[in-house]
Every structure is written in C-alpha cells, then in structure tokens.
Amino acid sequence: MANTHSFTIEDTKIDAEELVSRIQEELGVHAHVGGISTSSSTAESGKTEEHSTIRLHYILKQEDDETEAESKIKAIVEDMKE
C-alpha cells in the first residue's frame, strides 16, 4: 500500500520541475508539484525578484521511512539553492 506525503518549500527560486525530477531520480519515488504560488519583492537595488512557494507531493511505499525521505528532500533543496 502506498502513502502520499506532502512537503512545502517556501520562499525559493529553484525550478519546481527540476526538483521533482531530482527527487524521483534520487529517491526512486513518484513525485509531482501540487501547487506553486509566486510573490514578488523589490530588492535594495530596486530590482524585482520573484520567490515561489512550492507544494510537493510524493508517494512512498508503506515500508519507506517518511523521516528519511524528508531529510533527503531537504538535502536536494539545499543543494539546488547553492
């Protein structure tokens, strides 16, 4: 039996589709974007920057460890931010 889980990445500039691709490749699970909301802010330089909040859904097999999966997703997100 599979279990669907959600993970939210806030205030980011990373590409959602690239994130999904890496999660599927590195964790071997099905993942998809459940929603993206975008906001704009003006930097001190006067330049407008867009930031997104990404709601990610992924499916684990019953025996998979949710804590371990979230830890790996966080590591992927941090790697993509660099």
Side-chain angles (χ1 to χ4, degrees):
M1 174 138 204
N3 295 309
T4 301
H5 302 275
S6 297
F7 189 83
T8 301
I9 301 100
E10 295 189 20
D11 194 31
T12 186
K13 295 180 186 179
I14 62 176
D15 180 85
E17 293 305 318
E18 182 181 344
L19 174 64
V20 166
S21 178
R22 284 200 50 192
I23 288 170
Q24 290 183 145
E25 182 180 310
E26 295 181 27
L27 273 68
V29 299
H30 171 76
H32 66 273
V33 174
I36 300 175
S37 60
T38 304
S39 62
S40 298
S41 62
T42 304
E44 289 181 26
S45 65
K47 183 178 178 183
T48 301
E49 296 181 348
E50 286 195 356
H51 300 268
S52 298
T53 297
I54 302 169
R55 185 73 171 165
L56 178 75
H57 299 288
Y58 59 98
I59 299 173
L60 297 176
K61 296 178 194 144
Q62 189 171 8
E63 64 272 8
D64 289 339
D65 182 17
E66 180 181 4
T67 304
E68 182 179 339
E70 280 195 13
S71 177
K72 289 179 180 179
I73 291 170
K74 287 177 185 176
I76 292 169
V77 168
E78 287 305 312
D79 181 58
M80 292 179 71
K81 284 182 180 180
E82 296 175 0

